[in-house]
Amino acid sequence: MSDSLVLDGRGPLHEQIRRAVCAPIISGAWTPGRRIPSEHELMALFGASRMTVNRAMRTLADGGLIVRRRRTGSHVAAPSGERALVTMGDIRATIDKRGQAYAYECLARRGARASDDIAGRFEIAAGTPLLNISCRHLADGRPAALEDHWINLAALPEASQERFDKVAPGEWLAARLPWAKSRYIVSAVNAGSAMAKLLDLEPESACLKIDRQSWRNGIPATFVTALYPGAGHALTGEVAPPYSSP
Amino acid sequence: MSDSLVLDGRGPLHEQIRRAVCAPIISGAWTPGRRIPSEHELMALFGASRMTVNRAMRTLADGGLIVRRRRTGSHVAAPSGERALVTMGDIRATIDKRGQAYAYECLARRGARASDDIAGRFEIAAGTPLLNISCRHLADGRPAALEDHWINLAALPEASQERFDKVAPGEWLAARLPWAKSRYIVSAVNAGSAMAKLLDLEPESACLKIDRQSWRNGIPATFVTALYPGAGHALTGEVAPPYSSP
DNA sequence: TGCGATTTGTACGTATGTATT
DNA sequence: CAATACATACGTACAAATCGC
């Protein structure tokens, strides 16, 4: 039973090979560290060329399922911590999908210069010109999220021309920097009285807080704190072995 | 400036090509929908073979940065919502990394049969034999997490032999099913009085709640609810264009 | 409707380089 | 140093999808 690798005849050859090797790994039959047949052995086993076998194995390696080293060969990888793919659909899409009416509201917009505190968290020089926008998202007229945006005008000078009274900073940014790098931290907090009022919640209600920082060409561009009522918002995610069986 | 694609001479050719095409996309110079030169054009531009160009482009397509279609060619993709890679390192690793002493404590362990309620959420037949474990993780003697595990004995019969008084169900499972598929939901809740007591918190403190379900060979295997003090735990994640510049 | 042209997808063969034991 | 096994790269061929005429 150690080498019952079989092709299923469905789809491209390199995918069949990938699935064949994948199956015993995700089923747990091949535990981490177990050696995987060499490319030459797989060539013989499946009657495929080395390039084809190589592509299948490289795909598994890219997905983190196996580790490849010269001379030693390929081995089943040990999952590193737990990487998970989370879908953080933006607020508007989330609300739309629930069939609720979406509305955006700008609460405040002001220019400022980076204080020492902000500069420290932001990794920018103190005194850098910033734009601060406080806004709210509504679902069927009820508050669904509160956002506090800081935009670095040195990185995004176009922002100073935008009033943000109709378009949310998040959307504005997504249109301008569709593939921006960002980093975020998810935590739970009790809503203070001011926040609770703005979110129409009982004071001390649990909220999901997401801090996010984004960069443009390596320069910090935005810093956002978003607050969601705990009962009304959740992140969903999935951990799945990449390229599993159908 | 529309075609200033240049190789940087560092690393394998296919990676250089990938980076060259990647750069204008993540900088925003090429917006979603913009056409990318065909493989033949890139061959001529870079003096590389089609296989090499193809590999670079296919890698970008796998990462979701571009979309490829026959005859129409390749185009810059529009980011789909916001997929983010979250690291959900397990509790023990998180505590260890902070330099705190980790301890595990089993609060209760009992067999049960799936009630209609559980069966519904679990997607299993009512009456299925289950194992329920309630446990706690401690950092330097202070509660750091509360977990409520439901294990489907039909999927994991070995679990009935394990007492879970020394080893946490999460670790036990990770050793057995390293690449299990799982799905989870992150939300914020106020700790009820019982939970607050077990976590040594003020009642109504905000907590991060993570519900997770895992499968073994397509059969629901475990269902876990974990509760973390809001102040002491956070998820961190990163959204980054796959295969960006160095 | 059909047909040719374009573009990507798959697969094979071959060669050489490189890290590691 | 030699052997192993993966990494890169080139060339070729044909298939499949799709657009425009």
Side-chain angles (χ1 to χ4, degrees):
Chain A
M1 74 171 297
S2 98
D3 270 26
S4 59
L5 297 175
V6 275
L7 304 182
D8 55 20
R10 280 177 296 133
L13 187 51
H14 65 90
E15 285 187 13
Q16 293 184 47
I17 295 174
R18 175 171 51 62
R19 279 197 300 272
V21 176
C22 206
I25 298 174
I26 61 171
S27 82
W30 288 4
T31 47
R34 145 122 201 190
R35 190 195 141 85
I36 284 163
S38 74
E39 295 189 351
H40 272 100
E41 290 169 311
L42 292 172
M43 281 173 68
L45 227 166
F46 298 129
S49 78
R50 193 167 91 84
M51 284 307 297
T52 304
V53 170
N54 180 275
R55 176 165 173 187
M57 294 301 103
R58 198 177 53 225
T59 308
L60 289 180
D62 288 345
L65 222 64
I66 69 174
V67 174
R68 319 193 75 199
R69 282 210 326 266
R70 302 180 212 224
R71 167 70 195 181
T72 14
S74 303
H75 295 81
V76 177
S80 65
E82 251 175 76
R83 298 178 308 173
L85 210 57
V86 175
T87 53
M88 308 202 32
D90 76 329
I91 312 154
R92 179 180 205 146
T94 308
I95 291 172
D96 284 348
K97 211 166 56 184
R98 280 199 292 234
Q100 299 179 300
Y102 170 82
Y104 163 76
E105 201 177 43
C106 182
L107 303 176
R109 178 194 188 282
R110 63 186 186 88
R113 296 203 166 256
S115 66
D116 287 348
D117 173 48
I118 293 278
R121 290 194 301 172
F122 220 140
E123 294 169 10
I124 53 176
T128 306
L130 303 174
L131 193 60
N132 178 220
I133 294 134
S134 175
C135 62
R136 198 156 67 152
H137 302 267
L138 307 159
D140 280 345
R142 300 248 302 275
L146 218 54
E147 286 182 353
D148 187 46
H149 287 254
W150 292 87
I151 299 177
N152 181 2
L153 292 175
L156 287 160
E158 318 95 286
S160 60
Q161 307 299 319
E162 175 62 47
R163 294 174 56 202
F164 295 110
D165 54 346
K166 299 286 178 202
V167 57
E171 288 183 30
W172 182 87
L173 189 78
R176 230 142 297 251
L177 283 181
W179 290 104
K181 172 187 151 192
S182 69
R183 189 182 300 157
Y184 53 85
I185 301 170
V186 180
S187 58
V189 295
N190 290 97
S193 56
M195 295 295 183
K197 205 166 188 179
L198 285 168
L199 281 172
D200 195 17
L201 297 171
E202 297 295 316
E204 300 309 307
S205 291
C207 289
L208 206 58
K209 182 179 155 213
I210 303 182
D211 288 302
R212 185 182 330 199
Q213 182 170 9
S214 73
W215 286 260
R216 170 183 216 166
N217 297 332
I219 302 166
T222 69
F223 186 78
V224 188
T225 298
L227 213 63
Y228 307 86
H233 198 81
L235 301 177
T236 63
E238 223 176 71
V239 189
Y243 312 112
S244 48
S245 326
Chain B
M1 77 169 294
S2 98
D3 268 26
S4 59
L5 298 174
V6 274
L7 304 181
D8 55 20
R10 279 178 297 132
L13 186 51
H14 65 90
E15 284 187 14
Q16 293 183 48
I17 296 174
R18 176 173 49 63
R19 278 196 301 272
V21 176
C22 205
I25 297 175
I26 61 171
S27 82
W30 290 3
T31 48
R34 145 123 202 189
R35 191 195 141 84
I36 285 163
S38 75
E39 295 189 351
H40 272 99
E41 290 170 310
L42 292 172
M43 280 173 68
L45 227 166
F46 297 129
S49 77
R50 189 164 92 86
M51 284 309 296
T52 304
V53 170
N54 180 276
R55 176 165 174 188
M57 294 302 103
R58 199 176 54 226
T59 308
L60 289 179
D62 287 345
L65 223 63
I66 69 175
V67 173
R68 320 193 74 199
R69 282 213 326 269
R70 300 179 211 219
R71 166 73 194 180
T72 1
S74 304
H75 295 81
V76 176
S80 65
E82 251 175 75
R83 298 179 307 173
L85 213 57
V86 174
T87 53
M88 307 201 33
D90 76 329
I91 312 153
R92 180 180 203 145
T94 308
I95 292 172
D96 283 347
K97 211 165 55 184
R98 281 199 291 236
Q100 299 179 300
Y102 170 83
Y104 163 76
E105 201 178 43
C106 181
L107 302 177
R109 177 197 188 280
R110 63 187 185 89
R113 295 204 166 255
S115 66
D116 287 347
D117 173 48
I118 294 277
R121 291 193 302 172
F122 219 139
E123 293 169 11
I124 53 175
T128 306
L130 303 174
L131 194 60
N132 178 220
I133 294 134
S134 175
C135 62
R136 197 154 69 151
H137 302 267
L138 307 159
D140 279 345
R142 301 248 303 273
L146 218 53
E147 287 181 353
D148 187 46
H149 287 254
W150 293 87
I151 299 177
N152 181 1
L153 291 175
L156 287 160
E158 317 95 286
S160 60
Q161 306 300 319
E162 174 63 47
R163 294 175 56 203
F164 295 109
D165 55 347
K166 299 286 178 203
V167 58
E171 288 183 31
W172 182 86
L173 189 78
R176 231 143 297 251
L177 284 181
W179 290 103
K181 172 187 151 192
S182 69
R183 188 182 300 156
Y184 53 85
I185 300 170
V186 180
S187 58
V189 295
N190 290 97
S193 56
M195 296 294 182
K197 204 166 186 179
L198 285 167
L199 280 172
D200 195 16
L201 297 172
E202 296 295 315
E204 299 309 308
S205 292
C207 289
L208 206 59
K209 182 179 154 212
I210 302 183
D211 287 302
R212 184 183 329 200
Q213 183 170 8
S214 73
W215 286 260
R216 171 183 214 165
N217 297 332
I219 302 166
T222 69
F223 186 78
V224 188
T225 298
L227 213 63
Y228 306 86
H233 198 79
L235 301 177
T236 63
E238 223 175 71
V239 189
Y243 312 111
S244 48
S245 326

